[in-house]
Amino acid sequence: MTISTLTERALIARLHARVPPPPEWVSIGMGDDAAVLVPERGCHDVVTTDALVEDVHFRRAWSSPRDIGHKALAVNLSDLAAMGATPRAVLLSLALPPDLPLDDFDGLVDGFLTLATTSRMPLVGGNLTRSPGPLVLDVTAIGIARPRRVMTRAGARPGDRLYVTGALGAAAAGLAMLQADHAASPDDEAAAECLRAYRRPAARLRTGAIVARNRVATTCMDLSDGLANGVRQIAEAGGCGAKIDAASIPVHAGALAWSAVRGGDPLTLALSGGEDYELLFTVPPRRCRRFLAAIRQAGEVPVAEIGVCTQGPDVVLVRDGQRTALPVGFSHF
Amino acid sequence: MTISTLTERALIARLHARVPPPPEWVSIGMGDDAAVLVPERGCHDVVTTDALVEDVHFRRAWSSPRDIGHKALAVNLSDLAAMGATPRAVLLSLALPPDLPLDDFDGLVDGFLTLATTSRMPLVGGNLTRSPGPLVLDVTAIGIARPRRVMTRAGARPGDRLYVTGALGAAAAGLAMLQADHAASPDDEAAAECLRAYRRPAARLRTGAIVARNRVATTCMDLSDGLANGVRQIAEAGGCGAKIDAASIPVHAGALAWSAVRGGDPLTLALSGGEDYELLFTVPPRRCRRFLAAIRQAGEVPVAEIGVCTQGPDVVLVRDGQRTALPVGFSHF
């Protein structure tokens, strides 16, 4: 049974039935022309939008409907995390192929709403439309943050240390496994983590919020487009350079193993693979101790110091004593 | 030259170059992980999302890129208007077929930004991605409104009068002309208005805001899905019925003319055609005078009284003394 057997109204009702009652800050929720939100006193609004398009960002053969719904929200949560914002509300716009099985629709919605609920983020608006092509999930996430605790990409200074959360390259390795039709053995925990990192990324909301609250980082951004792109963006926005120590980059064990099997360079997965929804911070040396205390307080994910911001525009990678330019991450549209 | 000749980064830079500097309430605009907005004191946030999908909501053969960009924002502005909200900021997510001419991309963006600018609505966030299928424009509009001046769909009471703005059926007639490949004569002003209503609808922002400020309407919604659907939704949300006087429905001259040529019922265009971004209000009798004064004060569009809310659940149309059920507006997804 596909969604085309239902009217738009019935499909909307089916979605509504899955949405839990909203918290008190939602004055008017779904079902009207627009939703009305009560602002949090003393906070600014933080807003971001990001889309997942079938056969560009996911394949239905590689991710379950629940995975896809989860990821559509997670990539937006990661943007809020990078600003140090707390989730407030979310809007979901779906363009659905008529042959989408109704079970898949339910799965998409459940994957999305499960993450929204655990993130204390009511779904306050939505739109359902038919798609004559791919399945498209467009999400707008709204967060709140205290004005002087917002973290941006701009503000890195020479001497600031660069830190990343987690281990990198996992999602890229997971995608490579799916592309190669690689059947990981069921007890290969590292491979399973890579697939999970690709299918159901976790946003570092708690880490972002606690670092922001402590005002110990000069910049923060998420690594959705890879570490190399992140370092370049922060250097450019701060008018500085950066020197990255290759040996310090925390490459995920599954990415190392995959590269060993396939003969690639695991560092490429970590630098250019993208889809690691980890956070990149710059921290002045005198604040590093407090930064690390905040990371421990968050208790979400470890960090690794991977380099330092420098004078001048060069963004370099030091590997086995050799300095090379950090990859640009060039990609055709 | 198509957009696929540019990198994603170059395309984003091209978009950024067209965005005017933001007003003071945008603390952090485009280009970071998320935007940061300073709330307006004493106001609530009003948020809505709506998408246009190629070959579902528009065809590139029937609308110019500027039309499409304009309409993607206008349909969202109409939702803000129906709440009585004032525009504050907007986010635009585009899924672009790689063969889209670069000129068309520029046109889309310009049509969107021109309306955003005249609506005093800075573009604060966006997302560009490739689409393997249709062009998709997903817009999230953010407005503000004073808490007790928000208008919703719920609140109509028996005895309330029903009013609509403007003349109905124009957009549906315009679409029918395009579907029939009808070449309107250049001096047929009514036909030109129908095409314009379809391609570049105008949201009734000023009317919505002034009626809301005067607190003279019990409900308001926009007629994106047609008058019959609007009346039914308001009756259902208010737990009342409605009686519509067919002779009072303001049918657009172009819709009348088109129906005369094609032999259809012009009332069907007005009731079920949809895409009239006009507003439907309910107003208690003792407030009708003040309501009409607010409409005159707005000076945007006339209103017509088309019926009354009744006890009981029936939603009826009275035509030539005959009572019939108002069409349901049933549509398969």
Side-chain angles (χ1 to χ4, degrees):
Chain A
M1 192 154 135
T2 68
I3 58 164
S4 62
T5 58
L6 295 187
T7 63
E8 184 181 345
R9 207 183 152 115
L11 209 54
I12 290 171
R14 200 173 174 98
L15 172 63
H16 277 214
R18 296 178 128 74
V19 176
E24 80 286 353
W25 69 74
V26 178
S27 166
I28 296 169
M30 293 189 75
D32 220 299
D33 290 281
V36 179
L37 308 178
V38 183
E40 174 81 5
R41 186 184 283 270
C43 282
H44 286 182
D45 294 318
V46 182
V47 292
T48 185
T49 185
D50 210 348
L52 294 191
V53 178
E54 183 177 359
D55 293 338
V56 176
H57 302 102
F58 66 88
R59 290 202 188 178
R60 278 193 259 168
W62 291 349
S63 296
S64 74
R66 282 183 160 265
D67 290 339
I68 296 163
H70 171 102
K71 188 165 175 175
L73 179 53
V75 301
N76 281 278
L77 291 178
S78 183
D79 284 325
L80 293 187
M83 305 298 285
T86 301
R88 186 72 167 170
V90 66
L91 300 103
L92 172 63
S93 181
L94 293 170
L96 304 168
D99 66 355
L100 187 76
L102 202 50
D103 284 347
D104 287 7
F105 172 80
D106 293 345
L108 281 175
V109 169
D110 286 344
F112 183 90
L113 287 176
T114 299
L115 181 56
T117 301
T118 57
S119 309
R120 296 207 184 100
M121 196 175 214
L123 178 64
V124 298
N127 188 60
L128 295 184
T129 178
R130 197 160 45 83
S131 168
L135 172 61
V136 180
L137 301 92
D138 232 299
V139 174
T140 298
I142 302 174
I144 50 173
R146 305 242 161 227
R148 289 191 298 183
R149 293 181 186 172
V150 167
M151 298 184 292
T152 70
R153 295 182 186 182
R157 296 284 166 267
D160 285 1
R161 303 298 190 253
L162 286 149
Y163 288 91
V164 288
T165 60
L168 307 181
L175 174 59
M177 291 171 199
L178 292 166
Q179 284 170 332
D181 210 5
H182 173 75
S185 87
D187 58 350
D188 184 347
E189 185 52 42
E193 279 179 15
C194 289
L195 291 170
R196 191 172 171 85
Y198 170 73
R199 288 174 173 146
R200 296 177 80 98
R204 304 308 187 186
L205 278 167
R206 193 171 150 78
T207 300
I210 288 178
V211 171
R213 191 191 306 158
N214 282 280
R215 300 170 68 182
V216 284
T218 42
T219 67
C220 180
M221 69 176 285
D222 85 335
L223 295 182
S224 46
D225 293 327
L227 176 62
N229 173 70
V231 172
R232 286 197 168 274
Q233 297 247 12
I234 278 181
E236 194 177 299
C240 60
K243 191 173 72 175
I244 305 295
D245 172 24
S248 311
I249 296 174
V251 183
H252 190 277
L256 289 171
W258 178 252
S259 298
V261 171
R262 296 283 154 160
D265 182 352
L267 213 56
T268 303
L269 292 175
L271 284 170
S272 309
E275 295 218 81
D276 286 317
Y277 293 93
E278 300 293 351
L279 298 179
L280 172 66
F281 295 98
T282 59
V283 184
R286 66 191 154 79
R287 295 205 185 135
C288 285
R289 227 163 56 118
R290 282 179 54 212
F291 170 75
L292 293 170
I295 294 294
R296 278 192 302 275
Q297 189 195 338
E300 193 172 47
V301 64
V303 291
E305 186 181 332
I306 58 162
V308 62
C309 297
T310 57
Q311 298 280 359
D314 291 349
V315 178
V316 298
L317 180 72
V318 181
R319 190 176 193 180
D320 305 328
Q322 301 289 319
R323 292 164 65 98
T324 55
L326 202 66
V328 180
F330 180 89
S331 74
H332 254 281
F333 185 71
Chain B
M1 193 155 135
T2 69
I3 58 164
S4 63
T5 58
L6 295 186
T7 62
E8 184 181 345
R9 206 182 153 115
L11 209 55
I12 290 170
R14 200 174 173 98
L15 172 63
H16 277 213
R18 296 178 127 73
V19 176
E24 80 285 353
W25 69 74
V26 179
S27 165
I28 296 168
M30 293 188 76
D32 220 297
D33 290 281
V36 179
L37 308 178
V38 182
E40 174 80 5
R41 186 184 283 271
C43 281
H44 287 182
D45 293 318
V46 182
V47 293
T48 184
T49 185
D50 210 348
L52 294 191
V53 178
E54 184 178 358
D55 293 339
V56 176
H57 302 101
F58 66 88
R59 290 202 188 176
R60 279 194 258 169
W62 292 348
S63 296
S64 73
R66 280 182 162 267
D67 290 340
I68 297 163
H70 171 102
K71 188 166 176 176
L73 179 53
V75 301
N76 281 278
L77 291 178
S78 183
D79 284 325
L80 293 187
M83 305 298 285
T86 302
R88 187 72 167 171
V90 65
L91 300 102
L92 172 63
S93 180
L94 292 170
L96 304 169
D99 66 354
L100 187 76
L102 202 50
D103 283 347
D104 287 8
F105 173 80
D106 293 345
L108 282 174
V109 170
D110 286 344
F112 183 90
L113 287 176
T114 299
L115 181 56
T117 302
T118 57
S119 309
R120 298 209 182 99
M121 196 174 213
L123 178 64
V124 298
N127 188 58
L128 295 184
T129 178
R130 196 160 46 83
S131 168
L135 172 62
V136 181
L137 301 92
D138 232 300
V139 175
T140 298
I142 303 174
I144 50 174
R146 305 243 161 226
R148 288 191 299 181
R149 294 181 186 171
V150 167
M151 298 184 292
T152 69
R153 296 182 185 181
R157 296 284 166 266
D160 286 0
R161 302 300 190 252
L162 286 149
Y163 288 90
V164 286
T165 60
L168 307 182
L175 174 59
M177 290 171 199
L178 292 166
Q179 285 170 332
D181 210 5
H182 172 76
S185 87
D187 59 350
D188 185 346
E189 185 51 43
E193 279 179 13
C194 289
L195 291 170
R196 192 174 171 84
Y198 170 73
R199 289 175 173 145
R200 296 178 79 98
R204 304 309 187 187
L205 278 166
R206 192 171 151 76
T207 300
I210 289 178
V211 171
R213 191 191 305 157
N214 282 281
R215 299 171 66 181
V216 284
T218 42
T219 67
C220 180
M221 70 176 285
D222 85 335
L223 295 182
S224 46
D225 294 326
L227 176 62
N229 173 70
V231 171
R232 285 196 169 275
Q233 297 247 11
I234 278 181
E236 194 176 300
C240 61
K243 191 174 71 176
I244 305 295
D245 173 22
S248 311
I249 295 173
V251 183
H252 190 276
L256 290 171
W258 177 253
S259 298
V261 171
R262 296 283 155 161
D265 182 350
L267 213 55
T268 303
L269 292 175
L271 284 170
S272 310
E275 295 218 80
D276 286 317
Y277 293 94
E278 300 293 351
L279 298 179
L280 172 67
F281 295 98
T282 59
V283 183
R286 66 192 153 76
R287 294 204 185 137
C288 285
R289 228 163 55 116
R290 283 179 54 213
F291 170 76
L292 294 170
I295 295 294
R296 278 192 302 275
Q297 188 195 338
E300 193 172 48
V301 64
V303 291
E305 187 181 331
I306 57 162
V308 63
C309 298
T310 58
Q311 299 279 359
D314 291 349
V315 178
V316 298
L317 179 72
V318 182
R319 190 176 193 180
D320 305 327
Q322 301 288 318
R323 293 164 66 99
T324 55
L326 203 66
V328 180
F330 181 90
S331 74
H332 254 281
F333 185 71

